[in-house]
Amino acid sequence: MQYDVELKNIKKQFNKQDVVKGFNLQVKKGEFISFLGPSGCGKTTTLNMLAGFLDPSEGELFIKGKRMNNIPPYKRELGMVFQTYSLFPHMTVFENVAYGLKLRKKPKAEIESRVRKVLELVQLPHLHDRFPNQLSGGQRQRIAIARALVTEPSILLLDEPLSNLDAKLRVELRDELKRLHKQLGVTTIFVTHDQEEALSLSDRIVVMSHGNIEQIGTPNEIYNQPKSEFVHTFIGQTNQFEGNIKSINGSQIQILSKDGVVFNTVVSDSRFQVGESVNLFIRPESIFLGKEHNNSLDTACIQGKIKLVTFLGSITEYHVAIGDHDLVVRTQQPQKEWIEGADVLCCWNIENQLLIRREM
Amino acid sequence: MEQTSQLKLKAPSKLEHIIFSKWVVYLLLTPALIVLIGVFFIPMLLMLVQSLTDEQSNFTLANYALFFSEPFYWGVLWQTIKLSTFTVLGALILSYPVAMFMAQSKGKIRAIVTFLVLLPHLVSVVIRNFGWTIILNDRGMINTILLEAGIIDQPLRLMYNELGTVIGLVDSFVAYMILAIATSLYTINPSLYKAGAIMGANKVRNFISITLPLSLPGVYSGIVLVFSLSMSAFVTPTLLGGTSVKVMPALTYQQIMFTLNWPLGAAISFILLGTTIFLVSTFTKVTETKRYKVVFKS
Ligand SMILES: Nc1ncnc2c1ncn2[C@@H]1O[C@H](COP(=O)(O)OP(=O)(O)O)[C@@H](O)[C@H]1O
Ligand SMILES: [Mg+2]
């Protein structure tokens, strides 16, 4: 199978410092991929290597099956939108959008009709003769998107395109991007440090930290089955138990938490040994409250007492005391008997938990 | 609540009221205004009056009429304009690459280059012109090398002519051009080049469609600066131009110091001033198109 984008063990060093440490990714035609990670984790560097502004120190890069190492950006046939709009300030909206077509020496009539069409696509058909400094931030970014799309690029690269906009516009333009992607089906790589943007837009998310890929998966997988402590803590909220393994019985593991609570859980492999220090992570949304253990093998439960109930509209948040520890639980279906002071059983499906050895 | 009261801005004190009142501002401007009026506007006015009166203190345009009726005089004006124009062109060609280098380099290197550009200005223009004499004269460095190498057998005439004058003027004023252009190059957002490249523009194309148009404000102000300075230059044309080069400031000097014809000298200097103002404002009018104003002035 031919991928639209393929990165094979891409590495990048600046002054002997590893900024991207072995990036492997395959993007299918029409996919919307997000690079998600905190500022400085190497997202822009990776995107710039894809665009051709930087050469990888190591590794291979393919676009539509063609090896792209050492091919300059102007020959890659990509579209790109930057955080700082980057419209040409001395050109009108029309000239900005038409620029790529002019470089390709398209006939005048074709340029005009394509520019008109793409400006309608981003819902700004009436701004032809304005200059960028006569536009609002949201309008500028829409024009920048139009400019990137007008040449019908094979891949669309977006480097934090929404980060300079205020909150309301950001959501508006996010939905706009989603609509455009649905309508055009252009393979898109979207860089962001905003988990909401990544979760709401992407077919798959690449979570990055310190130049490493932490996890690649659908928004659902990333949120509900985080594979590393970083993904657990960077995205959404999470509960953390510190403890020791008290006993192991096949795949059943008994954990003694730091504040003296014992509970059982199940792991799919047997990497652990009795006495080891471990951390267990579980998201508030993954926990369900109940009275009785359903005794199924893939459920782990722990007894606690409700300390605090907070009604948040569509969801209700419970703080459940487990020893000295608070477990945060969120549910969309609160029950009448779950009141402050009530004893409850907090359970979760083990595929939603992350149990890892604690580094000493 | 206590916390919110802390956030409130402190009301300006009486002292602050006094310090920032506009009367104090005017008061602080007064010394500079007095100097400007005393040593600039009043002498200028006196010169203007002098250029417009005869010996009996009657109004006359005779001095101006004399200037324009004498081909020798407007020949001098023409030569002044010509030399200034060539100086602008020379400075422009030399400056652009330097300014681009400065814009592309960062931090330390940029600071060093800026220092090097300004360095010659720590030396008096007279000394620098004598330096050029050593390099350019008939037995100077350049001619000696070319003669020794057998490339020429007669020394080239590199100074005491228009060429020498332009070389000296370019040397004097090129720094203004470099800094003016560099300043406008600094403001270009580097991601514009990325945007250009990803749309299919190579480096040359990016230069033509991004760098050049966006550096225009710097280029224009560099041109105006260097042109005005060249029009009023006195030392360099005198030292490096010799007898064959005559410019307006030198003509004024001659009328006032040697011929002792103050009215004519005053008229000449006002003709020079008027010409410079006219040429510069025409240049500005022509270059500042509607588009230019929208892009760079709003
Ligand atoms: N040209 C460069 N030279 C040296 N270090 C760089 C350069 N570009 C980026 N870096 C460093 O590489 C790291 C990753 O940067 P970047 O890819 O821009 O992060 P992100 O886009 O995820 O915020 C940062 O620590 C940054 O300081
Ligand atoms: Mg970045």
Side-chain angles (χ1 to χ4, degrees), chain A residues 39-40 42-45 83 159-160 191:
Chain A
S39 160
K43 306 180 295 288
T44 298
T45 305
Q83 182 174 349
D159 192 354
E160 311 228 9
V191 161

Side-chain angles (χ1 to χ4, degrees), chain B residues 1-15:
Chain B
M1 289 210 293
E2 267 179 350
Q3 268 170 335
T4 47
S5 67
Q6 279 178 349
L7 288 175
K8 262 192 211 152
L9 283 175
K10 198 162 55 95
S13 69
K14 193 147 191 199
L15 187 67

Side-chain angles (χ1 to χ4, degrees), chain A residues 154-271:
Chain A
S154 54
I155 320 284
L156 181 62
L157 307 177
L158 305 159
D159 192 354
E160 311 228 9
L162 311 179
S163 297
N164 275 11
L165 304 171
D166 59 48
K168 190 166 160 274
L169 263 175
R170 202 178 304 170
V171 174
E172 202 181 299
L173 217 61
R174 191 182 78 194
D175 296 344
E176 182 84 13
L177 277 176
K178 190 160 187 145
R179 181 182 65 82
L180 282 172
H181 180 253
K182 224 175 194 151
Q183 197 171 337
L184 304 173
V186 58
T187 311
T188 305
I189 297 184
F190 176 84
V191 161
T192 183
H193 64 266
D194 183 309
Q195 44 170 312
E196 248 180 67
E197 286 173 10
L199 290 169
S200 61
L201 285 170
S202 319
D203 294 319
R204 284 192 298 154
I205 298 174
V206 179
V207 184
M208 297 175 64
S209 95
H210 297 295
N212 287 313
I213 294 183
E214 291 281 337
Q215 187 173 349
I216 302 180
T218 63
N220 204 308
E221 286 165 353
I222 295 288
Y223 195 83
N224 291 315
Q225 290 154 41
K227 291 279 183 282
S228 74
E229 177 175 351
F230 177 83
V231 180
H232 244 296
T233 49
F234 181 67
I235 296 164
Q237 273 186 320
T238 196
N239 292 294
Q240 176 180 1
F241 285 100
E242 287 179 28
N244 287 300
I245 295 184
K246 203 173 162 223
S247 69
I248 300 178
N249 181 7
S251 59
Q252 287 262 8
I253 286 188
Q254 199 168 47
I255 296 173
L256 171 63
S257 89
K258 219 175 60 179
D259 24 48
V261 181
V262 176
F263 64 100
N264 292 312
T265 187
V266 180
V267 286
S268 48
D269 53 23
S270 47
R271 296 162 294 158

Side-chain angles (χ1 to χ4, degrees), chain A residues 48 51 53 73-74 78 80 82 84 86-90 95 99 103-104 131 133-134 147, chain B residues 189 191-192 194-202 205-206 209-210 213-214 291 294-295 298:
Chain A
N48 280 344
F53 303 132
Y74 56 88
L78 304 171
M80 189 159 178
F82 304 83
T84 56
S86 305
L87 294 175
F88 301 130
H90 56 299
E95 289 163 339
Y99 186 70
L103 290 178
R104 284 164 183 73
F131 284 89
N133 62 11
Q134 299 170 319
R147 188 178 68 169
Chain B
N189 177 352
S191 69
L192 294 184
K194 287 189 182 174
I198 210 78
M199 280 186 274
N202 58 23
R205 189 68 221 204
N206 260 349
S209 16
I210 301 171
L214 288 178
R291 170 183 288 247
V294 174
V295 173
S298 56

